Amino acid sequence: MSLKSIDIEVCGRFIRVNCPDGNSSDLYYIADILSKRLEDLKEKTGVSNIEQLIFITALNICYELELEKEKSVHCVKHLKSRMLTLNKMMDTALMKE
């Protein structure tokens, strides 16, 4: 897949990034989400230093990602347990025939 350079805007600042062809609309969308999160944090905290806002936002995003990973692991464990139970039930039903 080839890459193309695009300019994205985050909090009024432009940055050129490489993006796989066909994914630029996704990147613009994500950049908009990031901008909104930074602006919200700026309003909530009164912090105007963009670097500090970026670090705080990055920490928040990493924390949210870890929570989602934990949820995902829990769901996989639950599904495996349910599948094992279903397999046992099917084995029992097949043995009765």
Side-chain angles (χ1 to χ4, degrees), residues 3 13 16 19 36 56 64 87:
L3 298 175
R13 295 183 179 196
R16 182 169 293 257
C19 178
K36 287 177 183 170
I56 295 168
E64 292 166 9
N87 267 345

Side-chain angles (χ1 to χ4, degrees), residues 12-77:
R13 295 183 179 196
F14 288 89
I15 184 170
R16 182 169 293 257
V17 296
N18 290 327
C19 178
D21 282 340
N23 288 19
S24 59
S25 61
D26 293 337
L27 187 55
Y28 288 125
Y29 175 73
I30 296 303
D32 188 50
I33 290 173
L34 178 58
S35 285
K36 287 177 183 170
R37 286 186 73 145
L38 290 167
E39 289 297 327
D40 288 346
L41 185 62
K42 183 179 179 179
E43 288 177 19
K44 287 178 186 175
T45 63
V47 173
S48 59
N49 181 313
I50 190 70
E51 287 181 7
Q52 191 174 2
L53 289 170
I54 289 170
F55 281 121
I56 295 168
T57 300
L59 288 170
N60 288 337
I61 291 170
C62 287
Y63 176 71
E64 292 166 9
L65 179 60
E66 285 304 310
L67 289 178
E68 290 302 316
K69 284 180 182 179
E70 288 175 17
K71 286 181 194 175
S72 178
V73 167
H74 177 74
C75 286
V76 168
K77 286 180 182 178

